[in-house]
Amino acid sequence: MKLQFSNTIQQLKTSATREILKLTQGNDIISFAGGLPAEDFFPDHAMKEAFNKVFDQGKKSLQYGITEGHIPLRKQICQRMKKKGMVVNEDQIQITTGSQQAIDLITRIFINPGDTILVENPTYLAALQVFEGYGAKVVGVKSDDDGIHLNDLKEKITRHRPKFIYVTPTFANPTGRFWSNERKQGILNICKQHETIIIEDDPYGEIQFNETSGIPSIYSLNNESDEFNPVIYTSTFSKTVIPALRIGWVVGESSIIQQITKAKQAADLHSSMVDQQALYFLLRDFDLDQHILNVSHEYEQRKNLMTQLLLQYEIPAKWVDPQGGMFLWLTLNDSSIDATELLKKAVKEGVAFVPGSVFYTGETLKNTMRLNFTYTAKEQMEVGIKRLQRVFTTVPQN
Amino acid sequence: MKLQFSNTIQQLKTSATREILKLTQGNDIISFAGGLPAEDFFPDHAMKEAFNKVFDQGKKSLQYGITEGHIPLRKQICQRMKKKGMVVNEDQIQITTGSQQAIDLITRIFINPGDTILVENPTYLAALQVFEGYGAKVVGVKSDDDGIHLNDLKEKITRHRPKFIYVTPTFANPTGRFWSNERKQGILNICKQHETIIIEDDPYGEIQFNETSGIPSIYSLNNESDEFNPVIYTSTFSKTVIPALRIGWVVGESSIIQQITKAKQAADLHSSMVDQQALYFLLRDFDLDQHILNVSHEYEQRKNLMTQLLLQYEIPAKWVDPQGGMFLWLTLNDSSIDATELLKKAVKEGVAFVPGSVFYTGETLKNTMRLNFTYTAKEQMEVGIKRLQRVFTTVPQN
């Protein structure tokens, strides 16, 4: 029987990262490829207690729930949003199955095939996949270590009239970049002027190495007296609590959230109410902020160790020291090296990373790679970087 | 700011059932409207134990999982599928966030706007919503108490060349219908001959009142020696374990499941691994089959009580006694009565149901209504049917 699949699924590429992860499974490979948090710090005891509290409430709590998500959890999220300068009520929050679902639902409510989406370049691979799956034309905006170039943004908004722009201003994946406040204010002003929606994806914003308080989101920079905030903000507990729960959320104007809720209802009715209630109890009874501080401190040490080893083993590359998040973005000194080719050798040597090219749309810098520094334990990191050094010795340097 | 939403979200209607349920919240209303299982029988103690076992495995079990779903859970589902005559391996199973997500993902991988989907008429409302949201042309096939009419099916496949046909052959929502084996074999033969995919939605199949063994699915009727099975089967634990978990699954040919997995990866990476692992432990250590027997027995008693009360209070309607599932489908004797109008009066009297018209595509029988018999406790049921009687006394009978 001949199967006729939709354009959507034919446009949807499988994740290169995922394919690489498959290569590394079951082998003695040290992987800097995945975007995984360190398991050692998962608050398993607190989570177990939180789940017990769900069941101790009685059977009623195990029934179907509302699509928008568990109200007490949304209220807790409102409290947490305040730290980012965001004053929102629970009607402005939709709970999602991770922020990946947020990206999917937002795209679903805005994009018709052929519509344009602007993105930072490079950007989160799985967002690019979603956008292309919906038949969007994805256009990259130039960016540097301070964020996107505002002139290029203006020019591309005027030329392409995009439905929205997708950005990760705080410790981006893959670059680890942390936008300046000037660029954050700039994108907001330009997008308001041109009536363009901003999707602010913030899965890593709480993993900070230097800041002692919340970093303002683009969302928070909107003047409260203004009628409409063009920012849709999304984040997740996958990096700060545990990934297995898949609980994320979206914040935005009620008129937008209502449409997301409608899309969510058709997509899966609602996310697990057992998990949502457990997370509510965790946020109520566990000091998540202190936990995040502890984890961030450990991640900073791992990042410091990795950069020190990269220097020590003379990996021929440059990088900007990240101020938070989970990734180190390397640009190889030799611009003729294709990191995708390098990866094949690396896997043979027993080390993995993600070639930078997969994160680009349009013009690609092939001599880039993303290293994750959070997952690998310190004692393993040196073994991994040594293996990486061996990979470079096999490459003729220009 | 003027928002420009996608065609998809504009085509997507919110659920009439949901709007009615909102009306009934917080009031002293007896609702036969929802499709909720009875809370009294939720296996909360067994579930609590199962979740504890997840956390007792250690922190590694709280990391990201694979998109396809927890392998031991999929193996357990294979065992359960055998009872329906389905011999499948775990590579033919994708775990979903309820069977609602299965319907969404299947539609996503097959449907381009303008493609045709055939459905039983009437059929599951939220499936119609998904299909219309993807811009499909939905065409109803005539059906009666034994299933769809095979001649009409043949004619409509030839005329419309649909991407697939969506059916609920076992204790359908809304009609409670239980197809004859002849119709099941018939749809399979016709669809194989015309290379048409069948979506077999089976959330209620295990809630049986009379059968002592598994009822064969359409999927199971395919000859094992045949190269390709055109049936994609989906079910859920929402009705048999607890709804709050939102764990469902899809079974199909690997070539189809792989596409569903790709779509699922973009949609939300994976469903909660905590819940999937807990469900695995529940299936391993708890006698779910005995539990389902007990619950089904109670549901049968509630159904018997409801039909007895409908007769006792002389509700002017006809129905076919359901052999399982959760719903009673009433056709009012007076064909001029519009059940949607009746509902407004009913809510004032303190009782709710779903007007049948929302389940139809194309030609609609307005003098129909769906009553759920599983959710309302026996002692409340008489109060509800009495109120329904009062509603009818206000309507002039032809």
Side-chain angles (χ1 to χ4, degrees):
Chain A
M1 181 168 164
K2 197 165 158 279
L3 291 168
Q4 293 183 299
F5 292 112
S6 65
N7 298 336
T8 299
I9 200 70
Q10 291 178 49
Q11 285 152 357
L12 193 64
K13 297 169 200 143
T14 46
S15 159
T17 315
R18 194 182 145 88
E19 296 307 311
I20 292 158
L21 287 175
K22 272 188 188 165
L23 277 181
T24 65
Q25 263 167 13
N27 295 322
D28 173 35
I29 284 187
I30 293 175
S31 178
F32 302 127
L36 305 182
E39 289 156 9
D40 326 0
F41 305 97
F42 289 165
D44 52 340
H45 293 291
M47 284 272 34
K48 181 179 176 179
E49 267 178 49
F51 273 92
N52 279 332
K53 286 171 194 164
V54 176
F55 292 101
D56 292 344
Q57 292 174 113
K59 296 171 195 274
K60 270 203 185 304
S61 59
L62 310 180
Q63 189 56 276
Y64 282 104
I66 55 173
T67 302
E68 293 84 345
H70 190 50
I71 293 169
L73 174 62
R74 287 188 279 145
K75 286 185 175 167
Q76 289 273 7
I77 291 171
C78 290
Q79 294 299 318
R80 297 190 69 79
M81 291 293 86
K82 270 192 195 154
K83 286 192 302 180
K84 299 210 163 261
M86 295 164 66
V87 181
V88 295
N89 64 54
E90 67 266 25
D91 293 337
Q92 293 179 267
I93 294 181
Q94 168 66 53
I95 302 293
T96 54
T97 303
S99 49
Q100 183 69 29
Q101 189 181 44
I103 295 169
D104 183 68
L105 295 178
I106 293 166
T107 311
R108 195 190 289 216
I109 71 163
F110 283 116
I111 298 301
N112 292 319
D115 283 348
T116 298
I117 297 172
L118 300 184
V119 296
E120 273 177 286
N121 211 9
T123 192
Y124 175 46
L125 171 62
L128 290 177
Q129 290 171 331
V130 171
F131 300 157
E132 287 162 2
Y134 280 96
K137 187 181 151 200
V138 182
V139 175
V141 180
K142 284 178 199 159
S143 55
D144 61 26
D145 296 327
D146 286 331
I148 53 168
H149 289 192
L150 299 177
N151 282 334
D152 195 47
L153 173 66
K154 256 186 258 181
E155 198 267 314
K156 282 181 173 150
I157 287 183
T158 312
R159 181 152 34 124
H160 297 285
R161 305 193 153 275
K163 275 288 181 75
F164 59 74
I165 174 163
Y166 171 82
V167 294
T168 315
T170 315
F171 317 134
N173 176 4
T175 60
R177 278 172 187 161
F178 176 31
W179 289 24
S180 69
N181 282 344
E182 189 205 330
R183 298 282 177 95
K184 286 186 190 168
Q185 190 66 60
I187 187 177
L188 182 65
N189 294 348
I190 291 166
C191 285
K192 284 178 84 163
Q193 196 187 333
H194 292 85
E195 302 210 328
T196 304
I197 296 282
I198 300 169
I199 314 299
E200 180 176 19
D201 189 12
D202 187 30
Y204 309 104
E206 293 190 278
I207 302 167
Q208 307 170 21
F209 301 152
N210 302 305
E211 299 285 319
T212 49
S213 62
I215 295 167
S217 60
I218 299 176
Y219 187 102
S220 73
L221 298 177
N222 193 57
N223 202 318
E224 266 188 63
S225 60
D226 273 18
E227 232 173 55
F228 191 89
N229 191 334
V231 184
I232 305 174
Y233 173 97
T234 175
S235 189
T236 177
F237 290 107
S238 293
K239 274 66 181 186
T240 50
V241 182
I242 53 169
L245 285 186
R246 314 284 311 114
I247 300 287
W249 68 94
V250 197
V251 179
E253 293 283 346
S254 304
S255 56
I256 295 172
I257 294 296
Q258 280 162 18
Q259 298 299 317
I260 293 175
T261 303
K262 209 167 83 170
K264 166 92 179 159
Q265 194 194 352
D268 62 12
L269 298 186
H270 62 77
S271 297
S272 167
M273 283 303 294
V274 177
D275 294 9
Q276 290 184 58
Q277 291 173 90
L279 200 45
Y280 160 71
F281 285 120
L282 187 94
L283 293 175
R284 193 192 68 177
D285 301 336
F286 174 74
D287 191 348
L288 182 60
D289 289 328
Q290 185 58 52
H291 175 74
I292 293 172
L293 276 179
N294 298 346
V295 173
S296 299
H297 183 65
E298 171 70 22
Y299 286 174
E300 185 182 9
Q301 292 187 332
R302 292 186 183 196
K303 183 267 293 173
N304 288 342
L305 178 62
M306 183 178 268
T307 53
Q308 178 205 311
L309 289 166
L310 288 171
L311 292 170
Q312 184 183 329
Y313 288 97
E314 296 180 330
I315 304 299
K318 288 187 181 60
W319 60 87
V320 172
D321 202 40
Q323 311 284 302
M326 296 171 57
F327 303 109
L328 197 61
W329 178 247
L330 267 57
T331 305
L332 304 179
N333 295 342
D334 183 345
S335 63
S336 73
I337 296 179
D338 181 344
T340 306
E341 292 304 312
L342 210 62
L343 175 63
K344 294 174 191 165
K345 292 177 185 169
V347 169
K348 280 182 198 153
E349 292 288 346
V351 63
F353 55 83
V354 183
S357 55
V358 301
F359 301 103
Y360 283 94
T361 186
E363 209 187 334
T364 293
L365 289 181
K366 292 189 172 176
N367 62 326
T368 52
M369 55 168 74
R370 187 192 79 176
L371 298 183
N372 165 274
F373 53 76
T374 60
Y375 182 66
T376 308
K378 283 181 227 162
E379 48 277 24
Q380 284 294 298
M381 213 174 258
E382 183 160 9
V383 184
I385 301 295
K386 264 189 194 169
R387 290 179 183 175
L388 198 58
Q389 187 200 33
R390 273 208 296 277
V391 176
F392 278 98
T393 59
T394 67
V395 181
Q397 301 284 315
N398 280 346
Chain B
M1 180 166 165
K2 198 168 156 280
L3 291 167
Q4 295 183 298
F5 292 112
S6 64
N7 298 337
T8 300
I9 200 71
Q10 289 178 50
Q11 285 153 355
L12 193 64
K13 296 172 199 138
T14 45
S15 160
T17 315
R18 193 182 145 90
E19 295 307 311
I20 292 157
L21 286 175
K22 272 188 186 166
L23 276 181
T24 65
Q25 263 167 14
N27 295 322
D28 172 34
I29 284 188
I30 292 175
S31 179
F32 302 126
L36 306 182
E39 289 155 10
D40 328 0
F41 306 98
F42 288 166
D44 53 341
H45 293 290
M47 284 274 33
K48 182 179 176 177
E49 268 180 47
F51 273 92
N52 280 331
K53 286 172 194 165
V54 175
F55 292 101
D56 292 345
Q57 294 174 111
K59 296 170 194 275
K60 271 203 184 304
S61 59
L62 309 179
Q63 188 57 275
Y64 283 106
I66 56 172
T67 302
E68 292 85 345
H70 189 49
I71 294 170
L73 174 62
R74 285 189 280 145
K75 286 185 176 168
Q76 289 272 8
I77 291 171
C78 290
Q79 293 299 318
R80 297 189 69 78
M81 291 292 87
K82 270 192 195 157
K83 287 191 301 178
K84 297 208 166 264
M86 295 163 67
V87 182
V88 295
N89 64 54
E90 67 265 26
D91 293 336
Q92 294 179 266
I93 294 180
Q94 168 66 54
I95 302 293
T96 54
T97 303
S99 49
Q100 183 70 29
Q101 189 182 41
I103 296 169
D104 183 69
L105 295 177
I106 293 166
T107 311
R108 194 189 289 215
I109 71 164
F110 283 116
I111 298 300
N112 293 320
D115 284 348
T116 297
I117 296 172
L118 300 184
V119 296
E120 273 177 287
N121 211 10
T123 192
Y124 175 46
L125 171 62
L128 289 178
Q129 290 171 331
V130 171
F131 300 156
E132 287 162 2
Y134 281 96
K137 187 180 152 202
V138 182
V139 176
V141 179
K142 283 178 200 159
S143 54
D144 61 26
D145 296 327
D146 285 331
I148 53 168
H149 290 190
L150 299 177
N151 282 334
D152 196 46
L153 173 66
K154 256 186 256 182
E155 195 268 315
K156 281 180 174 150
I157 286 184
T158 312
R159 181 155 31 126
H160 296 285
R161 304 195 154 275
K163 275 286 181 78
F164 59 74
I165 173 162
Y166 170 82
V167 294
T168 313
T170 315
F171 317 134
N173 177 1
T175 60
R177 278 172 188 162
F178 175 32
W179 289 25
S180 68
N181 282 343
E182 188 205 329
R183 297 282 177 94
K184 285 186 191 168
Q185 190 65 60
I187 186 177
L188 182 65
N189 294 346
I190 291 166
C191 285
K192 284 178 84 163
Q193 196 188 334
H194 293 85
E195 302 211 327
T196 303
I197 296 281
I198 301 168
I199 314 299
E200 180 177 19
D201 189 11
D202 186 30
Y204 309 104
E206 293 191 278
I207 303 167
Q208 308 170 21
F209 301 153
N210 301 307
E211 300 284 320
T212 50
S213 62
I215 295 167
S217 59
I218 299 176
Y219 187 102
S220 73
L221 298 178
N222 193 56
N223 201 318
E224 266 188 64
S225 60
D226 273 18
E227 231 173 55
F228 190 88
N229 190 333
V231 184
I232 306 175
Y233 173 97
T234 176
S235 187
T236 177
F237 291 106
S238 293
K239 273 67 179 184
T240 51
V241 182
I242 54 169
L245 286 186
R246 312 285 311 114
I247 300 287
W249 68 94
V250 197
V251 179
E253 293 284 346
S254 305
S255 56
I256 294 171
I257 294 297
Q258 280 161 18
Q259 299 298 317
I260 292 176
T261 303
K262 209 167 85 170
K264 167 91 178 158
Q265 193 194 350
D268 63 10
L269 298 185
H270 62 78
S271 297
S272 167
M273 283 304 292
V274 177
D275 294 9
Q276 288 185 57
Q277 291 174 90
L279 201 44
Y280 159 71
F281 285 120
L282 187 93
L283 293 176
R284 193 191 68 176
D285 301 336
F286 174 75
D287 190 348
L288 183 60
D289 289 327
Q290 185 58 51
H291 175 75
I292 293 172
L293 277 179
N294 298 346
V295 172
S296 299
H297 182 67
E298 172 69 23
Y299 286 174
E300 185 183 10
Q301 292 187 333
R302 292 186 183 196
K303 183 266 296 173
N304 288 342
L305 178 62
M306 183 177 269
T307 53
Q308 177 204 313
L309 289 166
L310 288 171
L311 292 170
Q312 184 182 331
Y313 288 97
E314 297 180 328
I315 304 300
K318 288 188 181 60
W319 60 88
V320 173
D321 201 41
Q323 310 283 302
M326 297 170 57
F327 303 108
L328 197 62
W329 179 248
L330 265 57
T331 305
L332 305 179
N333 296 341
D334 183 345
S335 63
S336 73
I337 296 178
D338 181 345
T340 306
E341 292 304 310
L342 210 63
L343 175 62
K344 295 174 190 165
K345 293 178 184 170
V347 169
K348 281 182 198 155
E349 292 288 347
V351 63
F353 55 82
V354 183
S357 55
V358 301
F359 301 103
Y360 283 93
T361 186
E363 208 186 336
T364 292
L365 288 181
K366 293 189 171 175
N367 62 324
T368 52
M369 54 169 73
R370 188 191 79 177
L371 297 183
N372 166 273
F373 53 75
T374 61
Y375 182 67
T376 307
K378 284 181 225 159
E379 48 277 25
Q380 283 295 297
M381 212 173 258
E382 182 159 10
V383 185
I385 301 296
K386 264 189 196 170
R387 290 179 183 175
L388 198 58
Q389 185 199 34
R390 273 208 298 278
V391 176
F392 279 98
T393 60
T394 68
V395 181
Q397 302 284 314
N398 280 344

